[in-house]
Amino acid sequence: WDDADFSRGVGTVFYQEFFTLNSAKPPFIHDVEVKIRRYMKTSYSAVWTLKITWEKAPAHTARTDTRRTSTYQAVLTTDGFRSYLLILYQDGGMRWDYSQLSATNVLIGYS
């Protein structure tokens, strides 16, 4: 997520909000609930979810090369008591050349 640069007209950001309290849940929300139940080993039923998609986002250092782009999503969701954030990458993972970033203490992964 470090320094995406959309100033050259490459890449797009989309978002979609889902209110699912007392309403039918679309397949995307069922998928989110299944992931949280599996990874967190807890029961979970979403009442609100926000999906943000960065599509073909170039890194800030891509001012001269906009071919190395990444597509990823952040999914924020809550059941009204607990909240979760899922970060999902397109197959192939993060395609930015993070070795070119000005910061040298970059960590990609999870803990």
Side-chain angles (χ1 to χ4, degrees), residues 38-74:
R38 182 179 338 133
Y39 299 133
M40 302 306 294
K41 308 232 185 296
T42 185
S43 62
Y44 183 74
S45 181
V47 298
W48 178 86
T49 302
L50 176 65
K51 174 176 67 170
I52 307 164
T53 303
W54 289 263
E55 183 179 65
K56 297 181 180 173
H60 179 68
T61 58
R63 286 180 239 176
T64 58
D65 181 7
T66 57
R67 293 171 291 162
R68 287 186 76 156
T69 62
S70 293
T71 297
Y72 50 96
Q73 290 181 325

Side-chain angles (χ1 to χ4, degrees), residues 12-52:
T12 309
V13 179
F14 303 95
Y15 71 92
Q16 189 172 8
E17 187 176 18
F18 301 87
F19 293 97
T20 51
L21 181 62
N22 300 323
S23 65
K25 294 181 180 179
F28 172 76
I29 299 301
H30 285 293
D31 185 51
V32 167
E33 291 173 337
V34 165
K35 281 180 173 54
I36 290 171
R37 289 177 193 144
R38 182 179 338 133
Y39 299 133
M40 302 306 294
K41 308 232 185 296
T42 185
S43 62
Y44 183 74
S45 181
V47 298
W48 178 86
T49 302
L50 176 65
K51 174 176 67 170
I52 307 164

Side-chain angles (χ1 to χ4, degrees), residues 56-93:
K56 297 181 180 173
H60 179 68
T61 58
R63 286 180 239 176
T64 58
D65 181 7
T66 57
R67 293 171 291 162
R68 287 186 76 156
T69 62
S70 293
T71 297
Y72 50 96
Q73 290 181 325
V75 180
L76 299 110
T77 185
T78 185
D79 63 3
F81 300 100
R82 296 167 293 172
S83 299
Y84 297 96
L85 170 67
L86 301 174
I87 301 173
L88 310 168
Y89 292 91
Q90 182 179 24
D91 286 345

Side-chain angles (χ1 to χ4, degrees), residues 83-105:
S83 299
Y84 297 96
L85 170 67
L86 301 174
I87 301 173
L88 310 168
Y89 292 91
Q90 182 179 24
D91 286 345
M94 179 58 80
R95 296 180 52 199
W96 292 348
D97 182 4
Y98 53 86
S99 68
Q100 299 298 314
L101 295 173
S102 57
T104 57
N105 57 346

